[in-house]
Amino acid sequence: MDAQGRGRADDIDPADQWVLNPNTGEYEMRLPPSAPQSGVPGPRKPPASDTDPSALGSTQPLGRSAAPGRAVPPPRRRRGAPAPEEPLPGRRGRRPAKKAAKGKKVLLWTGGVMAFVLVAGAGAAYFYIEHLNSNIASVSDDGASTGGFEKDKAINILLIGTDKRTGAGNEKYGDAGSVGHADTTILLHVSKDRSNATALSIPRDLIVDIPDCPTTQEDGSQKVIPGTPQTRFNTSLGQDDRTPSCTMRTVTELTGVKPDNFMVADFNAVKTLTSAVGGVEVCLGKDIDDPDSHLKLSKGNHTIEGEQALAFVRTRHSVGFGGDLSRIGLQQQFLSALMRKLKDNDTLTSPSKMLDLAEAGTKALTVDSQLSSIGKLKDLGLELGKLNTKNLTFATTPVIDNPAEKVPTTVVLNDSSAPQVFDMIKNDVSFTAVKEKKKKEAAAVAARLKGTKSAASEVRVRIMNGGAVAGSAQETLSWLQVEEGVTKSENAGNAPAELAKTTLEYAPDQADQARRLADIMGLPGSALKPGESVENAQGVPAMTLTLGKDFKGAGASQTTPAKAPADVDKSTADKVECAE
């Protein structure tokens, strides 16, 4: 307090300066009227930034955040608009009771924190953007990504937890000098319509082929790190100077899914983020006292944070079969609990918690160069925040013990079910029950396959390559003619433009031909596009089959599974799973 008993600006917690503007529905930061006004300089020009302040929903200009000892002028009011609500004289600003409509808006705006954590908290702290931008560490994606997520498409984010033991207290967790590995890796797929998502865990001991990895060096030069065939997945990061872009390339090689972005978190991220939200609730089906992970908890529910949270996600010897797959189950339970906490109103409507999350989240992550600003993280958070946790499925890549080892210490893909899981992600198929609207749409598409089918010898089709592997059109033509009797077919070369998915366009009077060709090739109803026929080389009307980027090869079914294989381990984020 100063000599007149007035509160100084630098004595006020920024969390107490948030006031709801009833005209905009946004929370704004203001000092109370009792703050000193003398000696306040005139408005300053906002600093240069790659973040558009209007996109952040703030009415407070950038560059005018509350510095110690400075008062912040309230934002100018639009002409004719009622005066915004102010706190009572001599009292810190208090938010009025939040209306239901505003609650929904807050949930949407900040719900992206659910994206493992880090995103919406950053978006909420818009009043000191430049400070938060300076917290973010980023490295090049080295061309391994799609170039970044897009708002009107499905999103694939690669989440990498490294066991690099930097930071106070982390040296006790084993190899203190390790450069780190891809210890915990999750491919997060969010559907195009944002109605569902799948978080697919990739076991660290999975045997994979790590491809060559072009990498940008500190001096800007390029270096190609040679790939390694048939090795553990976790060596795709850290080993031989591999960067997260190498892990990204390995995931693409393994699954066929090219991630849009990556986020890397270390041990400190688990500790600081759980503390920022006040802890998360987990459940154990038995007592655990694990000397390796330093976890000691009794059976039942517990709220954990900090060191205890880190011990929880690192425990494996005391749960399940004692291996990495058992630990994946613990980590999935932990992330589910963290997401539920982040979605909770106590977190979303607490300015102090959002500020803590902003600091913790931006300091805890290393992101790719496409996500290196608060504005970009905020945009991602808004997309992810549209998701309901009950439609977020945690699943584990289907694997079996490595048959090449007498005493298995590694695993290999389960070839009977893993390809189905990867196909579902590539083709944006939900692992949870779809909405009724989607069921009706799916039924309408499937109806295209029902009806009479012409003989294979009567099918007339032109085949074009629209993004499939070079030579696919000719390979398919030969297979159809020799193996399936579709003799009235021809190779029409390359399509005018590439397509993501294989399509068969046909005129109404060719529907019976289309159904026969779909039956032969295993085309889904969604691949059939009623339209127009074209003349083939003989001047006779024919259908057009365009092989898209998803084409699997001649003779391979193009139909994507409608649901996950029965043997896939999966759970949804809205349910509590007690670890045994």
Side-chain angles (χ1 to χ4, degrees), residues 91-270:
R91 300 176 65 183
R92 292 181 178 179
R94 293 184 180 177
R95 294 171 297 175
K98 186 163 60 71
K99 299 178 182 179
K102 304 303 180 188
K104 183 176 181 181
K105 191 169 187 178
V106 170
L107 183 63
L108 175 63
W109 181 48
T110 59
V113 254
M114 182 195 72
F116 302 105
V117 147
L118 312 161
V119 180
Y126 55 79
F127 61 89
Y128 65 141
I129 288 173
E130 291 307 308
H131 165 68
L132 294 180
N133 273 330
S134 68
N135 284 349
I136 300 172
S138 66
V139 295
S140 175
D141 67 349
D142 298 313
S145 75
T146 62
F149 77 94
E150 296 183 38
K151 294 182 180 180
D152 59 347
K153 295 183 179 180
I155 297 175
N156 293 294
I157 305 294
L158 188 63
L159 305 164
I160 307 170
T162 175
D163 60 351
K164 190 173 182 180
R165 292 159 173 84
T166 56
N170 294 332
E171 64 279 354
K172 67 183 178 181
Y173 293 103
D175 183 6
S178 172
V179 294
H181 303 77
D183 200 48
T184 299
T185 305
I186 294 175
L187 178 61
L188 173 65
H189 171 82
V190 183
S191 67
K192 181 178 179 179
D193 64 4
R194 310 297 184 250
S195 67
N196 64 87
T198 301
L200 182 67
S201 293
I202 301 174
R204 67 173 191 173
D205 296 327
L206 175 63
I207 297 299
V208 297
D209 291 329
I210 298 177
D212 291 348
C213 182
T215 307
T216 302
Q217 304 298 293
E218 291 185 3
D219 61 1
S221 62
Q222 292 290 315
K223 172 185 177 181
V224 177
I225 301 173
T228 306
Q230 294 298 286
T231 188
R232 292 176 191 257
F233 176 85
N234 69 345
T235 60
S236 64
L237 177 68
Q239 313 308 301
D240 300 321
D241 296 325
R242 290 185 175 119
T243 66
S245 67
C246 298
T247 304
M248 186 176 272
R249 293 182 193 278
T250 304
V251 169
T252 302
E253 183 89 2
L254 173 70
T255 66
V257 178
K258 192 171 188 177
D260 300 308
N261 300 98
F262 64 71
M263 296 180 178
V264 183
D266 60 14
F267 287 173
N268 295 316
V270 175

Side-chain angles (χ1 to χ4, degrees), residues 61-72:
L62 292 178
R64 301 180 68 183
S65 58
R70 294 182 184 233
V72 180

Side-chain angles (χ1 to χ4, degrees), residues 231-371:
T231 188
R232 292 176 191 257
F233 176 85
N234 69 345
T235 60
S236 64
L237 177 68
Q239 313 308 301
D240 300 321
D241 296 325
R242 290 185 175 119
T243 66
S245 67
C246 298
T247 304
M248 186 176 272
R249 293 182 193 278
T250 304
V251 169
T252 302
E253 183 89 2
L254 173 70
T255 66
V257 178
K258 192 171 188 177
D260 300 308
N261 300 98
F262 64 71
M263 296 180 178
V264 183
D266 60 14
F267 287 173
N268 295 316
V270 175
K271 295 192 288 187
T272 58
L273 288 165
T274 52
S275 295
V277 297
V280 298
E281 186 174 340
V282 296
C283 180
L284 293 177
K286 63 179 181 180
D287 296 343
I288 288 183
D289 187 357
D290 191 326
D292 293 310
S293 69
H294 307 286
L295 179 69
K296 185 175 182 178
L297 286 175
S298 60
K299 177 181 178 180
N301 295 325
H302 298 272
T303 298
I304 60 174
E305 64 177 279
E307 288 285 346
Q308 198 172 47
L310 178 59
F312 184 86
V313 299
R314 289 198 53 73
T315 295
R316 60 182 174 130
H317 297 303
S318 300
V319 292
F321 296 104
D324 186 52
L325 295 179
S326 299
R327 182 171 66 174
I328 285 176
L330 271 184
Q331 292 170 345
Q332 291 176 347
Q333 182 198 156
F334 170 81
L335 288 171
S336 295
L338 180 56
M339 290 176 190
R340 290 192 298 271
K341 186 62 176 284
L342 290 169
K343 281 285 207 179
D344 185 79
N345 280 338
D346 288 344
T347 300
L348 294 174
T349 60
S350 169
S352 60
K353 284 187 179 179
M354 294 307 290
L355 288 172
D356 289 344
L357 272 173
E359 288 290 339
T362 52
K363 288 179 179 178
L365 281 182
T366 297
V367 300
D368 68 83
S369 48
Q370 311 293 338
L371 279 179

Side-chain angles (χ1 to χ4, degrees), residues 44 204 220 395 475 495 520:
R44 294 177 293 164
R204 67 173 191 173
E475 179 189 10
I520 291 172

